[in-house]
Amino acid sequence: MSELLRLENVTKRFGGLTALSDVCVSVRRGEIFGLMGANGAGKTTLFALIGGQLRPTAGRILFKDQPIQGKRPDQICRLGISRTFQIVRPFAGISALDNAIVSSLYGAAARSRAQARESAMAALDAVGLAPFADRPAGELTLSGQKRLEIARALATGAELLLLDEVLAGLTAAEVEPMLETLAQLRRRRNLTIVIIEHVMGALMRLSDRILALDHGEVMALGEPAAIARDERVLATYFGGA
Ligand SMILES: Nc1ncnc2c1ncn2[C@@H]1O[C@H](COP(=O)(O)OP(=O)(O)OP(=O)(O)O)[C@@H](O)[C@H]1O
Ligand SMILES: [Mg+2]
């Protein structure tokens, strides 16, 4: 599998606080790459650096071998990277379809209004929201709104999705279908997915590899089975092996 994204010695400081320290990692095309770590470990900051909402203090971020650090979010989006936000933020008053159309027009996929509508509809369909296309986004359940976040990211035409806690707040019954949706997206749309998740079991099942961050540093990186046995991970998550 070839490499799609590479972080080289990425550091991010906020004043005196080092949110990420010398992170080196690469994500392969077509993989589901899990990102775990305690609150404040630097997970969302990592997404903001990749998505262009923040600039690294040091280090390089390469997408398809091209450096992207310092580019604007809209430029990065057009290159094929799209992220969802931990706190869902749809345009609540407009329909699910119009939300996805806005994303499609913003991203690389659409050349015309008709194309935007088409890719928006395909994105809604891919996350199971086609029946709710005309529903105001604010009227969807939390699970529906999380799905809409993913549809909006998809509608941009992204090849790389960065999903920030799309399972958080879902009921136990909603988690399983969401996992199936994510696995299907990778299979059917050739996507590469980086997913931040606190629901450990789900992350372990879904991911090909997992990166565990601890206070902004790489604590462990590897296949789920290896992460589940990692002494530092066990100590951090379960208070000792
Ligand atoms: N814009 C900012 N300005 C200052 N400090 C920030 C900023 N964004 C994040 N931080 C700090 O950087 C650290 C990492 O935060 P981040 O949001 O990346 O953590 P996280 O791993 O996503 O945590 P959570 O699981 O709670 O979402 C925290 O100490 C946080 O307070
Ligand atoms: Mg976060």
Side-chain angles (χ1 to χ4, degrees):
M1 248 193 269
S2 68
E3 176 185 88
L4 187 63
L5 178 77
R6 182 160 86 243
L7 274 65
E8 292 179 352
N9 308 98
V10 170
T11 293
K12 178 64 186 176
R13 292 193 197 94
F14 296 109
L17 177 103
T18 303
L20 288 169
S21 178
D22 211 26
V23 173
C24 298
V25 63
S26 86
V27 176
R28 301 164 187 155
R29 249 173 233 278
E31 94 176 316
I32 298 187
F33 188 93
L35 192 50
M36 61 183 260
N39 294 121
K43 305 179 298 295
T44 297
T45 301
L46 197 67
F47 274 12
L49 294 175
I50 300 168
Q53 287 81 22
L54 293 173
R55 281 166 166 260
T57 309
R60 297 207 307 164
I61 302 173
L62 297 106
F63 181 64
K64 299 181 184 172
D65 294 324
Q66 301 300 315
I68 57 166
Q69 77 281 357
K71 288 190 190 290
R72 295 191 314 265
D74 59 308
Q75 295 172 319
I76 290 175
C77 180
R78 283 188 195 112
L79 290 173
I81 301 177
S82 188
R83 68 182 284 218
T84 67
F85 289 86
Q86 196 165 345
I87 311 292
V88 295
R89 37 168 127 159
F91 302 109
I94 65 173
S95 71
L97 178 60
D98 283 339
N99 267 275
I101 288 174
V102 170
S103 300
S104 181
L105 291 169
Y106 181 78
R111 317 248 171 283
S112 66
R113 172 96 196 164
Q115 263 187 8
R117 192 185 157 83
E118 197 175 314
S119 68
M121 206 52 221
L124 290 180
D125 191 41
V127 300
L129 281 184
F132 304 95
D134 296 327
R135 203 66 73 73
E139 288 181 14
L140 299 175
T141 61
L142 176 65
S143 166
Q145 293 194 4
K146 296 260 181 186
R147 284 172 183 271
L148 181 57
E149 279 285 294
I150 300 169
R152 291 167 78 199
L154 276 177
T156 65
E159 293 169 66
L160 173 63
L161 294 188
L162 309 174
L163 306 181
D164 199 344
E165 300 200 23
V166 292
L167 304 178
L170 301 191
T171 65
E174 288 167 338
V175 167
E176 209 51 47
M178 184 68 100
L179 290 178
E180 184 46 39
T181 297
L182 296 176
Q184 242 177 41
L185 282 179
R186 182 251 294 265
R187 277 202 305 276
R188 295 198 185 150
R189 298 185 54 133
N190 263 332
L191 291 167
T192 305
I193 298 176
V194 182
I195 178 166
I196 295 174
E197 200 41 72
H198 284 288
V199 183
M200 292 272 293
L203 194 68
M204 296 267 169
R205 272 192 297 141
L206 190 65
S207 307
D208 299 303
R209 290 188 304 150
I210 293 177
L211 167 67
L213 283 176
D214 181 43
H215 295 99
E217 294 184 6
V218 173
M219 179 162 69
L221 171 64
E223 292 181 2
I227 294 295
R229 286 193 306 267
D230 186 276
E231 279 181 22
R232 288 181 64 195
V233 172
L234 290 172
T236 303
Y237 277 82
F238 305 107

